[in-house]
Amino acid sequence: MKIAVAGGTGVAGRVVVETLRARGHTPVVLSRGQGVDLVSGSGLDAALTGVEVVIDASNVTTNRKSVAVGFFDKAGRNLAGAAERTGVRHLVTPSIVGVDRVKLPYYSGKLRQEEIIRGGAVPWTIMRATQFHEFVGQVLSGVPGPIAVVPTAPVQPIAVRELAEALVDLALEPPRGMAPELAGPQVESLVDLARRLIAAGGARQRPVVPLYFPGGMRNGGLLPTGPGPRGTQTFADWLEKRSPRKPA
């Protein structure tokens, strides 16, 4: 099957592309490097010709609400429009568990993306997933200074590859609207994960100070609220796999 992957060179997108190839499908990477610009819409119609399913793993790195909403609004409308014009029969999009409960600037953009998909003419599936294991490092890299201030929040991180596998599974099934939420195998403390990542040499050495604030993340806003598929790779497994082996 010919399946397009928007953002196919990103953290999740490239693993989705690998998974599709491993299963014998033909991925079409929608990226600027392939002559496709989601924000302007350039090259989209040509790239989607003959495509049956689109997996939208597009992303923007920002902490500004206006940038996030602007990107997902333009990219979402362009992709949905091109998919409708070219006869795509299924649009699959990963979103974030808690995107409607935790007030973060980036999440406003993802909510706008969901709104566009729900209101479009192409049959769709949205699967909200918890944060990747890599999220911990992203949090630390965004905190400057000699002390890492990390929000106190329970998280249930998932492996990128397990998300990719789940997205491909959904792409091969009929559209189902909102799919059950995907999460990792166990609930962890974000502060504890940050300390463990630093101790393993995966981030700059410095003390981690918990940041307490009411509502949202602290009250479990990033955790799934119902039953759904669960991954198997724990943060400890991921950390051991990525950490350099010490000589015996």
Side-chain angles (χ1 to χ4, degrees), residues 168-225:
V168 172
D169 287 343
L170 291 171
L172 302 178
E173 298 173 359
R176 56 190 303 180
M178 293 302 296
E181 294 178 335
L182 173 69
Q186 60 190 44
V187 177
E188 307 265 16
S189 159
L190 184 58
V191 171
D192 179 60
L193 297 185
R195 288 172 173 155
R196 289 161 62 187
L197 183 64
I198 291 173
R204 180 160 58 94
Q205 290 289 329
R206 51 183 170 159
V208 173
V209 176
L211 173 64
Y212 298 90
F213 56 89
M217 294 172 64
R218 183 182 178 187
N219 292 338
L222 297 178
L223 300 179
T225 57

Side-chain angles (χ1 to χ4, degrees), residues 98-147:
V99 71
D100 52 349
R101 301 191 303 271
V102 177
K103 305 303 180 183
L104 294 176
Y106 178 80
Y107 284 18
S108 296
K110 291 297 289 184
L111 278 175
R112 178 62 184 140
Q113 182 186 42
E114 288 192 5
E115 291 170 0
I116 292 169
I117 294 166
R118 294 169 190 258
V122 179
W124 54 273
T125 300
I126 294 174
M127 182 183 68
R128 292 177 176 176
T130 52
Q131 303 288 346
F132 299 145
H133 294 308
E134 288 83 355
F135 175 65
V136 183
Q138 294 169 355
V139 170
L140 289 171
S141 65
V143 180
I147 296 174

Side-chain angles (χ1 to χ4, degrees), residues 152-178:
T152 57
V155 292
Q156 198 166 338
I158 183 78
V160 174
R161 183 159 298 279
E162 291 177 326
L163 169 72
E165 294 281 356
L167 289 173
V168 172
D169 287 343
L170 291 171
L172 302 178
E173 298 173 359
R176 56 190 303 180
M178 293 302 296

Side-chain angles (χ1 to χ4, degrees), residues 24 30 84:
L30 306 181
E84 181 182 358

